Amino acid sequence: MRIGQSIDIHQLVEGRPLILGGVHIPYEKGLKGHSDADVLLHAIIEAIIGAMGEGDIGKHFPDTDPQYKGISSMILLEKTYEMMVNHHYKIGNVDAIIMTEQPKMAPHITAMRENIAQTLHTDVNNINIKATRGEKMGFVGRGEGIVSQAVVLLENA
């Protein structure tokens, strides 16, 4: 059994789609990044990589590599799942949080959980996602960016 944790932060900008947990969320801004900038999946991916003792997301999916330009983070999660299986692990559980002032996450959390569970070949009850606001404080509260944190428990397969 191994535990990994991670945090990811991306800036909100005009002209980009907002994608979290593989779900396109209608909003006037999206997240800036080399890939689709899915901050939730990036935190989960890096927590899995960390639990395996394999470094960080940048080691495996560098933002300097053109093959990852604009890539769906769901594909990166699939590749991370394959790495996890090759290391003889399976998901015990994932607990993640999204910190954003807007938009509201509640209507989208079920779809996020289902996407992640399907990609990680685990029961949806093993995936928990919460959301909180910045209460008008800091860059999250001012609507400048979104933060996500994740903790992952891996079990021997």
Side-chain angles (χ1 to χ4, degrees), residues 37-152:
D38 188 327
V39 70
L40 173 62
L41 292 186
H42 291 184
I44 292 170
I45 289 165
E46 191 164 74
I48 293 169
I49 291 169
M52 293 186 294
E54 289 293 323
D56 60 26
I57 194 170
K59 175 182 174 184
H60 298 276
F61 311 112
D63 64 5
T64 55
D65 190 330
Q67 73 175 311
Y68 301 120
K69 179 74 175 160
I71 194 169
S72 166
S73 294
M74 290 299 294
I75 294 170
L76 302 181
L77 186 63
E78 289 171 12
K79 292 178 181 292
T80 304
Y81 171 77
E82 292 166 8
M83 187 186 328
M84 188 179 74
V85 168
N86 289 335
H87 282 79
H88 308 288
Y89 290 109
K90 64 180 182 177
I91 290 293
N93 73 298
V94 173
D95 189 28
I97 188 165
I98 303 165
M99 292 168 258
T100 182
E101 198 67 23
Q102 290 290 328
K104 297 289 186 192
M105 292 292 111
H108 310 287
I109 287 178
T110 298
M112 292 177 196
R113 290 178 65 217
E114 290 169 354
N115 284 345
I116 295 164
Q118 182 177 18
T119 304
L120 294 177
H121 301 268
T122 191
D123 189 276
V124 72
N125 292 323
N126 294 331
I127 309 298
N128 189 57
I129 300 170
K130 307 171 292 280
T132 191
R133 297 179 30 226
E135 300 295 336
K136 308 288 184 199
M137 296 182 293
F139 72 89
V140 170
R142 290 188 301 269
E144 297 169 5
I146 297 178
V147 179
S148 186
Q149 291 180 294
V151 177
V152 173

